[in-house]
Amino acid sequence: MTYSGPIPQLGLGTFGRTGDAGVEAMLKAIEIGYRHLDTAQSYDTEKQVGETVRRSGLRRDELFVTTKVADTMLDKEDFLPSVERSLATIGVDQVDLLLIHWPSQNDQVPFEDYMLGLAEAKNRGFARLIGVSNFPIADLERTRKLLGEGAIATNQMEIHPFLQTPKLRDYSRAMGMPLTAYQPLAKGEVNADPSINAIATKHGVGPSAIALAFLMGEGHIVIPASGSEANLRANYAALSVALSPAEMDQMRALNRGYRRIDPAKSPRWDDQE
Ligand SMILES: NC(=O)c1ccc[n+]([C@@H]2O[C@H](COP(=O)([O-])OP(=O)(O)OC[C@H]3O[C@@H](n4cnc5c(N)ncnc54)[C@H](OP(=O)(O)O)[C@@H]3O)[C@@H](O)[C@H]2O)c1
Protein backbone atom coordinates (compact mmCIF):
# COMPACT_ATOMS: atom_id res chain seq x y z
CA MET A 1 0.00 0.00 0.00
CA THR A 2 1.30 3.45 -0.89
CA TYR A 3 0.72 6.87 0.64
CA SER A 4 -2.87 7.90 -0.01
CA GLY A 5 -2.99 11.60 0.98
CA PRO A 6 -1.84 14.62 -0.98
CA ILE A 7 1.87 14.96 -1.78
CA PRO A 8 3.54 16.16 1.46
CA GLN A 9 4.49 19.77 0.70
CA LEU A 10 7.88 19.56 2.36
CA GLY A 11 9.98 16.60 1.30
CA LEU A 12 13.61 15.55 1.52
CA GLY A 13 15.96 15.64 -1.46
CA THR A 14 18.29 12.64 -1.39
CA PHE A 15 20.90 13.63 -3.96
CA GLY A 16 24.28 12.98 -2.30
CA ARG A 17 22.87 10.81 0.51
CA THR A 18 24.71 7.68 -0.63
CA GLY A 19 26.04 4.84 1.54
CA ASP A 20 25.31 4.19 5.21
CA ALA A 21 25.69 7.87 6.08
CA GLY A 22 22.86 8.55 3.63
CA VAL A 23 20.54 6.12 5.41
CA GLU A 24 21.41 7.64 8.81
CA ALA A 25 20.64 11.16 7.52
CA MET A 26 17.33 10.01 6.02
CA LEU A 27 16.35 8.23 9.25
CA LYS A 28 17.15 11.40 11.19
CA ALA A 29 14.91 13.33 8.80
CA ILE A 30 12.06 10.85 9.39
CA GLU A 31 12.54 11.25 13.16
CA ILE A 32 12.23 15.04 12.73
CA GLY A 33 8.98 14.58 10.78
CA TYR A 34 9.82 14.41 7.04
CA ARG A 35 7.46 12.01 5.24
CA HIS A 36 8.47 12.47 1.59
CA LEU A 37 11.70 11.16 0.05
CA ASP A 38 12.84 12.21 -3.42
CA THR A 39 15.25 9.89 -5.23
CA ALA A 40 16.14 9.09 -8.86
CA GLN A 41 17.66 6.27 -10.89
CA SER A 42 20.73 8.46 -11.37
CA TYR A 43 21.33 9.43 -7.70
CA ASP A 44 22.53 6.05 -6.40
CA THR A 45 20.19 6.55 -3.42
CA GLU A 46 17.23 4.33 -4.33
CA LYS A 47 18.65 1.54 -2.17
CA GLN A 48 19.15 3.92 0.76
CA VAL A 49 15.58 5.21 0.42
CA GLY A 50 14.29 1.62 0.54
CA GLU A 51 16.36 0.84 3.62
CA THR A 52 15.06 4.01 5.26
CA VAL A 53 11.46 3.03 4.51
CA ARG A 54 12.03 -0.37 6.13
CA ARG A 55 13.97 0.89 9.16
CA SER A 56 11.79 3.95 9.81
CA GLY A 57 9.26 2.10 11.94
CA LEU A 58 6.53 3.68 9.81
CA ARG A 59 4.01 1.86 7.66
CA ARG A 60 4.64 2.04 3.93
CA ASP A 61 1.51 4.18 3.52
CA GLU A 62 2.95 6.80 5.89
CA LEU A 63 5.85 7.64 3.58
CA PHE A 64 5.72 9.25 0.15
CA VAL A 65 8.45 8.01 -2.22
CA THR A 66 9.34 9.55 -5.58
CA THR A 67 11.79 8.24 -8.15
CA LYS A 68 12.69 9.42 -11.65
CA VAL A 69 13.41 7.63 -14.91
CA ALA A 70 16.85 8.70 -16.17
CA ASP A 71 17.25 10.30 -19.59
CA THR A 72 19.33 7.26 -20.63
CA MET A 73 16.29 4.99 -20.04
CA LEU A 74 13.69 6.72 -22.22
CA ASP A 75 13.83 4.30 -25.17
CA LYS A 76 10.78 2.01 -25.45
CA GLU A 77 12.75 -1.13 -24.69
CA ASP A 78 14.52 0.38 -21.66
CA PHE A 79 11.73 2.35 -20.00
CA LEU A 80 9.51 -0.16 -18.17
CA PRO A 81 12.38 -2.55 -17.31
CA SER A 82 14.18 0.42 -15.69
CA VAL A 83 11.09 1.18 -13.58
CA GLU A 84 10.87 -2.47 -12.50
CA ARG A 85 14.55 -2.30 -11.54
CA SER A 86 13.90 0.82 -9.48
CA LEU A 87 11.08 -0.92 -7.62
CA ALA A 88 13.35 -3.88 -6.92
CA THR A 89 16.21 -1.62 -5.76
CA ILE A 90 13.94 0.38 -3.45
CA GLY A 91 12.18 -2.83 -2.39
CA VAL A 92 8.60 -1.67 -2.90
CA ASP A 93 5.72 -2.80 -5.16
CA GLN A 94 4.82 0.73 -6.14
CA VAL A 95 6.30 4.21 -5.81
CA ASP A 96 4.00 7.09 -4.94
CA LEU A 97 5.28 9.27 -7.76
CA LEU A 98 7.27 8.43 -10.89
CA LEU A 99 8.83 11.27 -12.89
CA ILE A 100 10.54 11.66 -16.25
CA HIS A 101 13.83 13.22 -15.03
CA TRP A 102 14.60 15.20 -18.23
CA PRO A 103 12.80 15.37 -21.58
CA SER A 104 14.79 13.77 -24.40
CA GLN A 105 17.03 16.40 -25.96
CA ASN A 106 15.74 17.47 -29.40
CA ASP A 107 13.28 14.55 -29.30
CA GLN A 108 16.07 12.04 -29.92
CA VAL A 109 13.66 9.61 -28.29
CA PRO A 110 10.15 10.35 -29.60
CA PHE A 111 8.14 12.24 -26.95
CA GLU A 112 5.14 9.88 -27.30
CA ASP A 113 7.28 6.81 -26.62
CA TYR A 114 8.39 7.73 -23.13
CA MET A 115 5.25 9.64 -22.14
CA LEU A 116 3.10 6.63 -23.06
CA GLY A 117 5.64 4.50 -21.18
CA LEU A 118 5.06 6.68 -18.13
CA ALA A 119 1.28 6.27 -18.43
CA GLU A 120 1.76 2.52 -18.86
CA ALA A 121 3.89 2.39 -15.68
CA LYS A 122 0.91 3.85 -13.82
CA ASN A 123 -1.55 1.43 -15.52
CA ARG A 124 0.59 -1.47 -14.42
CA GLY A 125 0.53 -0.22 -10.82
CA PHE A 126 4.25 0.65 -10.69
CA ALA A 127 3.36 4.21 -9.61
CA ARG A 128 0.33 5.75 -7.93
CA LEU A 129 1.01 9.18 -9.46
CA ILE A 130 3.05 10.23 -12.47
CA GLY A 131 4.80 13.48 -13.27
CA VAL A 132 7.67 15.15 -15.05
CA SER A 133 10.78 17.17 -14.33
CA ASN A 134 12.60 19.89 -16.26
CA PHE A 135 9.64 20.25 -18.62
CA PRO A 136 9.09 23.69 -20.16
CA ILE A 137 5.56 24.85 -20.97
CA ALA A 138 5.78 23.54 -24.56
CA ASP A 139 6.39 20.01 -23.25
CA LEU A 140 3.66 20.38 -20.63
CA GLU A 141 1.28 21.33 -23.43
CA ARG A 142 2.35 18.28 -25.46
CA THR A 143 1.76 16.19 -22.32
CA ARG A 144 -1.74 17.62 -21.84
CA LYS A 145 -2.66 16.83 -25.43
CA LEU A 146 -1.26 13.30 -25.25
CA LEU A 147 -2.34 12.17 -21.78
CA GLY A 148 -5.24 14.54 -21.05
CA GLU A 149 -5.97 17.21 -18.47
CA GLY A 150 -4.82 16.42 -14.95
CA ALA A 151 -2.75 13.34 -15.86
CA ILE A 152 0.44 14.82 -14.43
CA ALA A 153 0.73 15.41 -10.66
CA THR A 154 3.70 17.81 -10.74
CA ASN A 155 6.60 19.24 -12.72
CA GLN A 156 9.83 19.25 -10.69
CA MET A 157 11.95 22.29 -11.56
CA GLU A 158 14.81 24.40 -10.26
CA ILE A 159 12.99 27.07 -8.25
CA HIS A 160 14.30 29.19 -5.36
CA PRO A 161 13.96 32.83 -4.32
CA PHE A 162 16.51 33.88 -6.97
CA LEU A 163 14.83 31.84 -9.78
CA GLN A 164 11.07 32.08 -9.43
CA THR A 165 10.09 31.16 -13.03
CA PRO A 166 6.98 33.39 -13.13
CA LYS A 167 5.78 32.23 -16.58
CA LEU A 168 5.91 28.60 -15.58
CA ARG A 169 4.40 29.39 -12.15
CA ASP A 170 1.42 31.16 -13.73
CA TYR A 171 0.90 28.43 -16.34
CA SER A 172 1.00 25.71 -13.67
CA ARG A 173 -1.44 27.62 -11.47
CA ALA A 174 -3.85 27.95 -14.36
CA MET A 175 -3.58 24.19 -14.89
CA GLY A 176 -4.11 23.50 -11.16
CA MET A 177 -0.83 21.55 -11.04
CA PRO A 178 1.72 22.24 -8.28
CA LEU A 179 5.36 22.66 -9.17
CA THR A 180 8.01 20.91 -7.09
CA ALA A 181 10.93 23.21 -6.32
CA TYR A 182 14.26 21.43 -6.56
CA GLN A 183 17.37 23.06 -5.22
CA PRO A 184 14.99 25.33 -3.24
CA LEU A 185 17.84 26.71 -1.11
CA ALA A 186 20.02 27.43 -4.14
CA LYS A 187 22.45 24.99 -2.49
CA GLY A 188 22.53 27.07 0.71
CA GLU A 189 23.06 30.42 -1.04
CA VAL A 190 19.76 31.76 0.35
CA ASN A 191 21.47 31.88 3.76
CA ALA A 192 23.67 34.80 2.70
CA ASP A 193 20.84 37.05 1.48
CA PRO A 194 20.32 40.14 3.72
CA SER A 195 16.55 40.53 3.06
CA ILE A 196 15.89 36.86 3.78
CA ASN A 197 17.95 37.16 6.97
CA ALA A 198 15.99 40.23 8.07
CA ILE A 199 12.68 38.37 7.69
CA ALA A 200 14.18 35.32 9.42
CA THR A 201 15.18 37.39 12.46
CA LYS A 202 11.59 38.65 12.80
CA HIS A 203 10.25 35.09 12.75
CA GLY A 204 12.94 33.62 15.00
CA VAL A 205 13.99 30.99 12.44
CA GLY A 206 16.92 30.55 10.06
CA PRO A 207 16.94 31.99 6.51
CA SER A 208 16.43 28.57 4.89
CA ALA A 209 13.03 28.25 6.64
CA ILE A 210 11.99 31.61 5.19
CA ALA A 211 13.00 30.60 1.66
CA LEU A 212 11.05 27.35 1.96
CA ALA A 213 8.01 29.00 3.60
CA PHE A 214 7.96 31.49 0.73
CA LEU A 215 8.04 28.75 -1.91
CA MET A 216 5.29 26.79 -0.13
CA GLY A 217 3.30 30.04 0.17
CA GLU A 218 3.52 30.26 -3.62
CA GLY A 219 1.90 26.82 -3.75
CA HIS A 220 5.03 24.81 -4.54
CA ILE A 221 6.16 21.51 -3.07
CA VAL A 222 9.78 21.81 -1.79
CA ILE A 223 12.47 19.14 -1.47
CA PRO A 224 15.51 20.63 0.29
CA ALA A 225 18.44 18.28 0.94
CA SER A 226 20.76 18.06 3.91
CA GLY A 227 23.01 15.57 5.60
CA SER A 228 23.19 17.55 8.84
CA GLU A 229 20.69 17.26 11.68
CA ALA A 230 20.85 20.99 12.45
CA ASN A 231 20.08 21.90 8.83
CA LEU A 232 17.36 19.24 8.52
CA ARG A 233 15.68 20.80 11.57
CA ALA A 234 16.22 24.37 10.37
CA ASN A 235 14.56 23.47 7.05
CA TYR A 236 11.68 21.56 8.63
CA ALA A 237 10.89 24.67 10.72
CA ALA A 238 9.51 26.20 7.49
CA LEU A 239 6.25 24.36 8.14
CA SER A 240 5.58 26.57 11.17
CA VAL A 241 6.28 29.90 9.39
CA ALA A 242 3.49 32.01 7.87
CA LEU A 243 4.77 35.02 5.93
CA SER A 244 2.69 38.19 5.73
CA PRO A 245 1.56 39.48 2.30
CA ALA A 246 4.23 42.21 2.58
CA GLU A 247 6.95 39.62 3.31
CA MET A 248 5.75 37.49 0.38
CA ASP A 249 6.15 40.58 -1.82
CA GLN A 250 9.65 41.22 -0.43
CA MET A 251 10.56 37.64 -1.28
CA ARG A 252 9.07 37.93 -4.80
CA ALA A 253 11.33 40.93 -5.38
CA LEU A 254 14.40 38.66 -5.01
CA ASN A 255 13.80 36.93 -8.35
CA ARG A 256 16.71 37.57 -10.70
CA GLY A 257 16.50 34.58 -13.01
CA TYR A 258 19.59 33.01 -11.45
CA ARG A 259 19.69 29.46 -12.83
CA ARG A 260 22.24 27.07 -11.31
CA ILE A 261 21.44 23.85 -13.17
CA ASP A 262 21.68 24.19 -16.94
CA PRO A 263 23.39 21.17 -18.54
CA ALA A 264 23.78 20.76 -22.30
CA LYS A 265 20.73 18.45 -22.37
CA SER A 266 18.48 21.25 -21.01
CA PRO A 267 15.37 22.17 -22.95
CA ARG A 268 14.71 25.80 -23.89
CA TRP A 269 13.65 27.30 -20.53
CA ASP A 270 10.57 29.54 -20.38
CA ASP A 271 12.01 32.01 -17.92
CA GLN A 272 15.52 32.47 -19.27
CA GLU A 273 16.42 36.08 -18.47
N1 LIG B 1 14.89 16.97 -11.00
C1 LIG B 1 16.14 17.40 -11.09
O1 LIG B 1 16.70 17.53 -12.18
C2 LIG B 1 16.88 17.75 -9.83
C3 LIG B 1 18.08 18.48 -9.90
C4 LIG B 1 18.72 18.82 -8.70
C5 LIG B 1 18.17 18.41 -7.49
N2 LIG B 1 17.03 17.67 -7.45
C6 LIG B 1 16.43 17.22 -6.16
O2 LIG B 1 16.31 18.34 -5.31
C7 LIG B 1 16.95 18.07 -4.08
C8 LIG B 1 17.47 19.35 -3.48
O3 LIG B 1 18.42 19.96 -4.32
P1 LIG B 1 19.95 20.12 -3.94
O4 LIG B 1 20.30 19.09 -2.96
O5 LIG B 1 20.73 20.15 -5.18
O6 LIG B 1 20.00 21.60 -3.33
P2 LIG B 1 19.40 22.38 -2.05
O7 LIG B 1 18.39 21.55 -1.33
O8 LIG B 1 19.02 23.73 -2.51
O9 LIG B 1 20.68 22.57 -1.15
C9 LIG B 1 21.35 21.50 -0.52
C10 LIG B 1 22.69 22.04 -0.04
O10 LIG B 1 22.46 23.10 0.87
C11 LIG B 1 23.02 22.79 2.15
N3 LIG B 1 21.98 23.11 3.16
C12 LIG B 1 20.82 22.45 3.38
N4 LIG B 1 20.14 23.04 4.38
C13 LIG B 1 20.89 24.09 4.78
C14 LIG B 1 20.70 25.06 5.78
N5 LIG B 1 19.61 25.07 6.56
N6 LIG B 1 21.66 25.99 5.94
C15 LIG B 1 22.79 25.97 5.17
N7 LIG B 1 23.03 25.07 4.20
C16 LIG B 1 22.07 24.13 4.01
C17 LIG B 1 23.31 21.32 2.13
O11 LIG B 1 24.48 21.06 2.89
P3 LIG B 1 24.40 20.14 4.24
O12 LIG B 1 24.19 18.74 3.77
O13 LIG B 1 25.72 20.38 4.85
O14 LIG B 1 23.24 20.65 5.07
C18 LIG B 1 23.53 21.03 0.66
O15 LIG B 1 24.88 21.30 0.31
C19 LIG B 1 18.04 17.04 -4.46
O16 LIG B 1 18.52 16.35 -3.35
C20 LIG B 1 17.27 16.19 -5.43
O17 LIG B 1 16.45 15.27 -4.71
C21 LIG B 1 16.36 17.36 -8.60
Side-chain angles (χ1 to χ4, degrees):
M1 198 207 247
T2 51
Y3 192 94
S4 56
I7 304 178
Q9 204 180 4
L10 191 146
L12 181 73
T14 70
F15 181 79
R17 300 281 83 77
T18 54
D20 292 343
V23 177
E24 293 312 319
M26 289 186 218
L27 285 170
K28 183 53 75 180
I30 302 290
E31 194 186 308
I32 292 167
Y34 292 77
R35 292 292 180 268
H36 167 175
L37 301 170
D38 179 86
T39 182
Q41 291 174 347
S42 60
Y43 292 175
D44 196 21
T45 60
E46 287 186 324
K47 185 165 164 273
Q48 283 73 13
V49 164
E51 195 174 330
T52 301
V53 171
R54 284 183 291 285
R55 285 175 54 190
S56 65
L58 297 173
R59 294 191 314 267
R60 170 68 188 94
D61 63 347
E62 293 177 293
L63 275 172
F64 187 93
V65 175
T66 303
T67 196
K68 314 182 191 83
V69 177
D71 56 314
T72 51
M73 293 293 154
L74 295 179
D75 273 325
K76 258 186 191 160
E77 60 273 26
D78 297 326
F79 194 99
L80 289 169
S82 87
V83 177
E84 289 184 286
R85 248 188 335 272
S86 285
L87 296 179
T89 306
I90 302 170
V92 291
D93 299 331
Q94 184 182 59
V95 286
D96 300 284
L97 176 62
L98 181 71
L99 305 180
I100 301 291
H101 206 151
W102 289 87
S104 176
Q105 191 182 14
N106 301 326
D107 285 342
Q108 279 159 13
V109 178
F111 188 76
E112 288 73 17
D113 286 7
Y114 59 90
M115 292 310 292
L116 293 175
L118 184 67
E120 178 60 18
K122 185 179 178 196
N123 287 341
R124 291 196 190 181
F126 297 163
R128 182 169 71 85
L129 298 171
I130 51 175
V132 296
S133 179
N134 298 301
F135 268 38
I137 293 170
D139 286 344
L140 293 172
E141 276 296 296
R142 290 205 284 177
T143 303
R144 194 167 64 86
K145 289 188 183 118
L146 185 67
L147 301 185
E149 205 84 41
I152 292 298
T154 189
N155 180 20
Q156 188 178 123
M157 297 294 281
E158 180 180 350
I159 301 179
H160 43 70
F162 314 132
L163 179 67
Q164 295 183 26
T165 66
K167 282 188 199 142
L168 182 66
R169 178 197 62 203
D170 294 348
Y171 171 89
S172 303
R173 268 188 199 152
M175 290 294 140
M177 177 195 70
L179 293 167
T180 299
Y182 77 64
Q183 215 157 97
L185 305 175
K187 271 286 193 224
E189 287 188 44
V190 296
N191 278 21
D193 185 90
S195 340
I196 301 181
N197 274 280
I199 300 172
T201 305
K202 278 200 262 165
H203 285 267
V205 294
S208 67
I210 299 299
L212 297 170
F214 164 64
L215 297 172
M216 290 192 281
E218 290 285 69
H220 306 322
I221 295 157
V222 295
I223 49 166
S226 178
S228 113
E229 179 174 353
N231 287 348
L232 285 169
R233 286 190 189 282
N235 300 343
Y236 195 74
L239 286 174
S240 56
V241 175
L243 298 177
S244 69
E247 289 167 335
M248 288 295 288
D249 279 343
Q250 272 176 272
M251 293 297 294
R252 285 188 193 106
L254 297 177
N255 182 36
R256 55 184 160 90
Y258 169 56
R259 189 176 296 282
R260 294 177 39 91
I261 298 191
D262 195 13
K265 66 184 171 190
S266 299
R268 192 184 163 82
W269 304 114
D270 296 299
D271 288 278
Q272 200 62 49
E273 310 295 306

